[in-house]
């Protein structure tokens, strides 16, 4: 009762605060102004719209072939390096996976280390990070660098000195005891820091929290599931596909109190529309992975959420994969584009490439569904998303019974499902070019076998309940594509195959060049038609995001390399060794036997180890920032 009373108080307080919100500035004016300067890179995704587009144009499609390494920096950590550096004036801020070291480097003095922050964290946290010890980067605001640590501690550091300004515990425990972890990059919106949580594979109930940028005090907290007081949903005003969601929509599609361990974690990216004052983000898979154990649509997991930045109250929601049966987390970025012509009408839209293999174009003011199309032809678990507003299936994917793990039941191995659990795209962010009107998307081209089984919940212990194996689509030998996508039509414009999944964040530039990285370690540049213009192999596989900046009048391209993440967990976690894979299963599977040694290795790492085993022939562990530029 105390928890419900507290959340009800927060909702009431937030509603009262909204009356004064009109007197506040429409956005964080400092960050808005800084983001307009293409010389810097002040947010992980480049801007509030998550476009990952750079207006710098010294590096062009004609001279990009001349790029050379200008300098490099070792992070000192050998796990998966996601995210990328921030560049603010003459200083570059570089982060690392656990233990989440942060460096401030002097760009005027050969990258001299101005300060270093290395938090002391409970090592038990490593064991509850399901898909490597990644961190997606730091944020900046009001002279502070904001770090979301693996143990869920959120720390504000003085950008000049690295000294701790404030520190707050985002999760309930920092020792991994509840399975909560921090992997997402915070984002600063107005006077608040927005931070999510990871851990759905441990039964963590997801949330997005807003802390005051000045002192770290909690402003609001919106859960993915639960009563309206917890989810900050107005049953009459919050809509789903244009209709009010009704009372306690976050509990009435769950059986009993399963919502309390319901997943829906929020470890992806967050975007912001200052005109509408709405924050957009996605929620992840419901817990457990065994769909038979959790009847119902399991709202609001697998959902795009649009929330008021000041109060956290939801304006609209859209659940993409009701009653998820395949671990198709909906956490991927929302890219905001103004004035896109869709079906003959110009709209301010949100574009989202979901794990489930469908790309969605939506009116971001009201959540109207405009386009929902497959962005990989291999996707087969559903035939389409119903686009008829008069149908009781409106907005729902039409599931193919053959690939339904719910319909096939527990202890049945459903084979040939495309995409695999890691989706047609995981968290690796796409880029949008206003010059072409196209989206450049790093994708996975992977299918799976999926066998659910019964599990029980214990706080801090894995709560998965499925055995998964992954492989390329039948008759094919490549596991990734880098594509150009027309979001107004829902069509692939071109597709460039890659041997392994493309797990890096893309970058589009004013110089008519698009960059991305590969799991083997190549940074690649292509033109607007997908023709390869340049490639260079860095010391380790790339799962980081490509970044552009200018210093001393010259444009540079920077990327973190360090193989890992879910696709690279076999290397990063040492799970290619049979004894380590067996230990992983012993910790995760609640006593379920997994077969012979080949099966044990192949299904470790939630199915990714076997699928990406050949990656070990092309790269190895590393942790390095590499900076490229044109010849002097």
């Amino acid at each position: 009762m105390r928890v419900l009373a507290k959340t009800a108080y927060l909702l009431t307080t937030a509603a009262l605060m909204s009356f004064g919100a009109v007197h506040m500035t429409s956005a964080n004016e400092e960050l808005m102004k800084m983001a307009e300067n293409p010389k810097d890179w002040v947010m992980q995704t480049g801007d509030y719209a998550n476009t990952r587009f750079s207006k710098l144009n010294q590096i062009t499609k004609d001279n990009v072939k001349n790029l050379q390494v200008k300098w490099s920096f070792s992070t000192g950590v050998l796990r998966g390096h996601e995210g990328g550096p921030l560049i603010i004036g003459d200083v570059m801020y570089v982060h690392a996976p656990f233990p989440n070291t942060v460096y401030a480097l002097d760009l005027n003095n050969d990258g001299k280390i101005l300060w270093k922050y290395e938090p002391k964290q409970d090592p038990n946290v490593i064991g509850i990070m399901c898909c490597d010890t990644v961190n997606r980067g730091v944020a900046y605001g009001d002279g502070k660098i904001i770090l979301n640590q693996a143990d869920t501690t959120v720390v504000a550091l003085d950008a000049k000195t690295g000294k701790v300004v404030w520190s707050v515990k985002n999760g309930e425990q920092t020792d991994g005891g509840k399975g909560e972890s921090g992997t997402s990059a915070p984002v600063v919106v107005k006077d608040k820091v927005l931070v999510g949580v990871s851990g759905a594979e441990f039964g963590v109930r997801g949330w997005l929290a807003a802390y005051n940028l000045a002192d770290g005090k909690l402003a609001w907290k919106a859960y993915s599931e639960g009563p309206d007081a917890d989810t900050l949903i107005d049953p009459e005003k919050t809509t789903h596909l244009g209709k009010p969601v009704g009372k306690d929509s976050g509990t009435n599609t769950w059986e009993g109190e399963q919502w309390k361990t319901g997943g829906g974690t929020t470890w992806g990216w967050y975007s912001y529309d200052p005109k509408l004052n709405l924050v957009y983000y996605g929620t992840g898979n419901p817990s457990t992975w065994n769909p038979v154990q959790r009847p119902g649509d399991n709202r609001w997991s697998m959902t795009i959420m649009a929330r008021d930045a000041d109060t956290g109250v939801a304006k609209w929601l859209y659940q993409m994969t009701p009653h998820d049966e395949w671990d198709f987390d909906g956490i991927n970025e929302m890219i905001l584009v103004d004035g896109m012509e869709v079906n003959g009408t110009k709209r301010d839209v949100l574009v989202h490439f979901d794990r489930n293999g469908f790309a969605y174009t939506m009116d971001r003011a009201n959540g109207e569904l405009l386009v929902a199309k497959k962005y990989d032809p291999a996707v087969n678990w559903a035939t389409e998303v119903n686009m008829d507003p008069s149908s009781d299936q409106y907005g729902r994917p039409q599931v193919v019974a053959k690939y339904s793990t719910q319909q096939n039941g527990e202890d049945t191995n459903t084979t040939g499902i495309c995409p695999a659990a890691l989706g047609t795209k995981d968290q690796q962010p796409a880029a949008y070019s206003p010059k072409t009107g196209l989206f450049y998307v790093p994708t996975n081209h992977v299918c799976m076998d999926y066998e659910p089984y019964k599990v029980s919940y214990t706080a801090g212990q894995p709560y998965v309940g499925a055995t998964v194996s992954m492989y390329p689509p039948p008759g094919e030998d490549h596991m990734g594509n880098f594509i150009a996508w027309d979001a107004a039509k829902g069509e692939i414009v071109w597709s460039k195959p890659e041997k392994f999944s493309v797990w890096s964040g893309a970058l589009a530039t004013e110089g008519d060049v698009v960059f991305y990285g590969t799991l083997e370690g190549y940074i690649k540049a292509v033109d607007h038609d997908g023709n390869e213009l340049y490639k260079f192999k860095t010391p380790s596989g790339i799962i980081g995001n490509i970044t552009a900046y200018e210093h001393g009048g010259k444009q540079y391209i920077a990327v973190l390399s360090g193989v890992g993440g879910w696709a690279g967990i076999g290397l990063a976690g040492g799970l290619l060794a049979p004894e380590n894979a067996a230990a992983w299963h012993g910790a995760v599977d609640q006593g379920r036997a997994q077969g012979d040694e080949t099966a044990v290795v192949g299904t470790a790492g939630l199915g990714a180890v076997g699928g990406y085993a050949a990656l070990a022939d092309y790269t190895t562990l590393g942790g390095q920032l590499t900076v490229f530029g044109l010849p002097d």
Side-chain angles (χ1 to χ4, degrees), residues 197-208 222-226 250 254 257-267 282-289 294 298-303 305 327 329 331 457 463:
V197 68
S198 303
E201 280 62 51
F202 289 78
V204 173
R205 178 168 62 128
W207 68 80
L208 184 70
Y223 283 91
S224 302
E225 303 93 3
W254 293 84
E257 295 188 334
Q258 287 186 338
W259 56 268
K260 291 183 177 180
T261 55
T265 47
T266 50
W267 49 276
T283 65
N285 62 285
S287 298
T288 149
W289 283 27
R294 43 172 174 79
N298 308 136
R299 291 181 171 179
W300 293 102
S301 65
M302 318 301 281
T303 298
M305 296 195 165
D327 185 47
D329 293 53
I331 58 82
Y457 172 76
Y463 189 48

Side-chain angles (χ1 to χ4, degrees), residues 445 476-483 494-500 502 516 524 532:
H445 189 58
E476 303 189 51
D477 60 0
H478 72 284
M479 300 177 71
N481 296 299
F482 188 68
I483 71 169
W494 52 257
S495 180
K496 185 177 184 296
E498 290 288 350
K499 184 173 184 61
F500 298 103
V502 186
Y516 68 97
K524 293 189 175 184
E532 191 171 295

Side-chain angles (χ1 to χ4, degrees), residues 227-251:
D228 294 336
D230 287 15
T231 57
L232 303 191
I233 286 175
D234 185 320
E236 300 302 323
K237 294 181 179 179
T238 302
T239 61
H240 180 263
L241 295 175
K243 297 180 180 180
V245 298
K247 180 177 172 57
D248 289 336
S249 57
T251 62

Side-chain angles (χ1 to χ4, degrees), residues 54 59 70 112 126 129 156 193 195 242 263 294 300 303 317 339 350 353 359 410 435 486 573 593 611:
S54 171
I59 298 171
K70 291 299 182 178
K112 178 183 177 182
I126 296 173
M129 300 184 77
V193 178
V195 185
R294 43 172 174 79
W300 293 102
T303 298
L317 312 166
L350 169 158
F353 299 92
E410 289 180 342
K435 295 189 71 174
D486 185 330

Side-chain angles (χ1 to χ4, degrees), residues 50-54 335-338 340 430-440 508:
N50 286 358
T51 61
R52 297 196 54 79
F53 177 79
S54 171
I335 302 175
L336 312 184
V337 177
D338 293 343
M340 179 183 291
Y432 169 75
S433 171
K435 295 189 71 174
T436 65
L438 297 177
F439 296 77
Y440 301 96

Side-chain angles (χ1 to χ4, degrees), residues 259-415:
W259 56 268
K260 291 183 177 180
T261 55
T265 47
T266 50
W267 49 276
W269 307 94
Y270 322 118
S271 54
Y272 172 61
D273 183 337
K275 291 180 292 184
L276 297 173
N277 197 38
L278 293 178
V279 173
Y280 306 92
Y281 67 100
T283 65
N285 62 285
S287 298
T288 149
W289 283 27
N290 179 0
V292 179
Q293 285 188 242
R294 43 172 174 79
D297 278 358
N298 308 136
R299 291 181 171 179
W300 293 102
S301 65
M302 318 301 281
T303 298
I304 296 173
M305 296 195 165
R307 294 187 179 275
D308 183 280
D310 298 319
T311 67
V313 175
K315 181 174 182 181
W316 61 262
L317 312 166
Y318 170 55
Q319 188 178 41
M320 297 164 289
T321 313
H323 186 64
D324 168 59
E325 307 171 35
W326 310 270
D327 185 47
F328 291 154
D329 293 53
I331 58 82
N332 294 349
E333 75 286 353
M334 316 294 160
I335 302 175
L336 312 184
V337 177
D338 293 343
M340 179 183 291
E341 188 171 315
V342 184
N343 299 323
T345 303
K346 287 192 173 182
R347 302 282 196 122
D348 290 347
V349 300
L350 169 158
V351 176
H352 171 76
F353 299 92
D354 197 61
R355 284 254 291 266
N356 70 13
F358 287 87
Y360 298 85
T361 304
M362 307 184 73
D363 186 302
R364 66 177 186 260
N366 58 23
E368 180 183 351
L369 184 60
L370 305 175
V371 179
K373 294 289 186 180
K374 299 176 183 179
Y375 62 105
D376 184 344
V379 173
N380 64 12
W381 68 276
T383 55
E384 63 180 356
V385 173
N386 187 299
M387 299 296 288
D388 180 4
S390 64
S391 170
D392 63 358
Q393 293 292 301
Y394 178 44
R396 297 180 74 97
Q398 301 303 291
V399 177
V400 177
K402 178 181 178 180
Y403 303 117
S404 170
T405 67
Q406 166 75 40
Q407 295 180 51
N408 294 335
E410 289 180 342
D411 303 319
T412 299
N413 191 26
T414 300
T415 62

Side-chain angles (χ1 to χ4, degrees), residues 1-10 205 226-230 259:
M1 293 298 293
R2 287 196 299 260
V3 174
L4 289 174
K6 181 178 180 181
T7 50
Y9 167 77
L10 286 172
R205 178 168 62 128
D228 294 336
D230 287 15
W259 56 268

